[in-house]
């Protein structure tokens, strides 16, 4: 039985004041009921991570990083390692988010190193995959997702892969208001689970959580979560409103 998981990706939003007030509102508005039955995490910008982790420390809400670097320390100006993130109370790290792939030019090979570094540093990676609109229109969704998952998990043992959460985020649905229909998302999630069954074993495929992301709102969260292979939601814009994020958590409960 997979416990639902809702994560908020704040992207490059909030400031030193609003990051804390958002975290506090999420705690006070929720979650002692839904929090028991749903895993919840928020991923603030790096500079506010420590303060948000502190604000959430008495709650069951976890903190995740939006990215990590592949090395653990050294002369890598501007980068942040898994061990630093672990040190300040992070549990999760997004790896290969669509904006990092398509705006910052990250490759599957780099993302594979990030997933490996996250696990090595004691973090739980959330590996993001998803196709572009042109790829969906050319019926290449399964091919693209297969390539991303195989490349980004290359070289990891089954024990290590069991630390991973997959997030299916079709690029055309991110920040566009165009959500995948529950059926489209379910089809992709079912495909991913069967791929993982082929790559690993039945237990891993059954237990791994696959989140959907892309214009998730309170109004569509329930229908998405009703699908058999949608185990949770990775929420961008709507996670910046405590009321919307709490409503989404409740829909997932
Ligand atoms: P939106 O919910 O704003 O579409 O963003 C989705 C996303 O990229 C979460 O990581």
């Amino acid at each position: 039985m997979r416990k639902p998981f809702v994560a908020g990706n704040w992207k490059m939003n909030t400031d030193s004041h609003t990051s804390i007030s958002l975290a506090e509102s999420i705690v006070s508005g929720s979650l002692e009921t839904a929090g028991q039955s749903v895993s919840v995490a928020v991923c603030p910008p790096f500079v506010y991570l420590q303060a948000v982790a502190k604000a959430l420390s008495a709650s069951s809400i976890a903190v995740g990083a939006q990215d990590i670097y592949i090395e653990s320390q050294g002369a890598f100006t501007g980068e942040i390692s898994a061990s630093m993130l672990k040190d300040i109370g992070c549990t999760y790290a997004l790896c290969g988010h669509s904006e990092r792939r398509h705006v910052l030019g990250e490759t599957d090979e780099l993302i594979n190193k990030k997933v490996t570094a996250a696990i090595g540093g004691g973090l739980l990676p959330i590996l993001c995959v998803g196709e572009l609109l042109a790829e969906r229109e050319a019926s290449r969704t399964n091919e693209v997702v297969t390539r991303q998952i195989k490349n980004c998990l290359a070289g990891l043992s089954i024990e290590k892969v069991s630390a991973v959460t997959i997030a299916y985020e079709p690029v055309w649905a991110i920040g566009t208001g165009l959500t995948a229909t529950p059926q489209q998302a379910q089809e992709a999630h079912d495909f991913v689970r069967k791929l993982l069954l082929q790559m690993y074993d039945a237990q891993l495929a059954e237990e791994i959580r696959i989140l959907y992301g892309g214009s998730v709102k309170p109004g569509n969260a329930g229908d998405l979560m009703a699908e058999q292979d949608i185990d949770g939601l990775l929420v961008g814009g709507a996670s910046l409103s405590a009321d919307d994020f709490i409503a989404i958590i409740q829909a997932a409960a």
Side-chain angles (χ1 to χ4, degrees):
M1 186 61 190
R2 300 180 293 269
K3 185 175 181 183
F5 180 17
V6 176
N9 175 7
W10 295 359
K11 307 192 181 185
M12 200 173 72
N13 293 297
T14 70
D15 60 27
S16 59
H17 176 75
T18 55
S19 58
I20 302 306
S21 58
L22 178 55
E24 287 172 350
S25 308
I26 294 168
V27 174
S28 64
S30 53
L31 290 177
E32 294 329 318
T33 42
Q36 306 299 320
S37 51
V38 184
S39 307
V40 179
V42 295
C43 304
F46 279 134
V47 287
Y48 308 129
L49 263 175
Q50 189 165 16
V52 169
K54 206 169 154 203
L56 294 174
S57 60
S59 79
S60 58
I61 302 172
V63 172
Q66 296 177 15
D67 185 32
I68 62 163
Y69 193 56
I70 60 176
E71 300 288 346
S72 56
Q73 60 172 53
F76 303 102
T77 301
E79 296 296 339
I80 309 282
S81 71
S83 57
M84 291 170 177
L85 294 164
K86 183 83 184 161
D87 180 41
I88 59 144
C90 263
T91 302
Y92 296 97
L94 299 181
C95 295
H97 188 274
S98 145
E99 286 138 24
R100 299 218 56 93
R101 290 175 185 269
H102 299 292
V103 183
L104 284 305
E106 289 194 4
T107 60
D108 286 341
E109 188 188 16
L110 177 66
I111 296 160
N112 175 235
K113 290 181 181 161
K114 291 188 172 192
V115 173
T116 306
I119 296 168
L123 299 174
L124 303 174
I126 301 173
L127 170 62
C128 304
V129 299
E131 80 287 2
L132 298 164
L133 182 58
E135 292 166 336
R136 172 161 285 265
E137 287 174 347
S139 303
R140 291 183 51 219
T141 299
N142 292 350
E143 169 201 328
V144 169
V145 167
T146 301
R147 188 203 71 225
Q148 291 172 333
I149 289 184
K150 287 198 166 166
N151 289 345
C152 295
L153 297 179
L156 289 165
S157 66
I158 190 167
E159 290 73 28
K160 291 196 167 155
V161 175
S162 67
V164 175
T165 298
I166 305 283
Y168 170 66
E169 298 203 299
V171 180
W172 49 271
I174 296 178
T176 57
L178 280 178
T179 320
T181 64
Q183 293 69 29
Q184 284 173 319
Q186 165 59 25
E187 237 172 65
H189 285 224
D190 174 59
F191 178 80
V192 168
R193 203 176 302 285
K194 289 186 174 137
L195 174 66
L196 294 167
L197 172 63
Q198 240 179 55
M199 291 170 64
Y200 303 101
D201 66 16
Q203 187 183 353
L204 182 128
E206 180 58 31
E207 290 178 0
I208 199 164
R209 289 190 290 196
I210 307 174
L211 315 184
Y212 168 79
S215 298
V216 173
K217 307 283 177 231
N220 58 28
D223 287 344
L224 287 161
M225 286 301 298
E227 296 293 337
Q228 185 181 343
D229 290 290
I230 301 182
D231 307 316
L233 303 163
L234 180 53
V235 187
S239 72
L240 296 169
S241 150
D243 288 347
D244 284 357
F245 192 57
I246 289 162
I248 290 168
I249 293 164
Q250 279 161 351

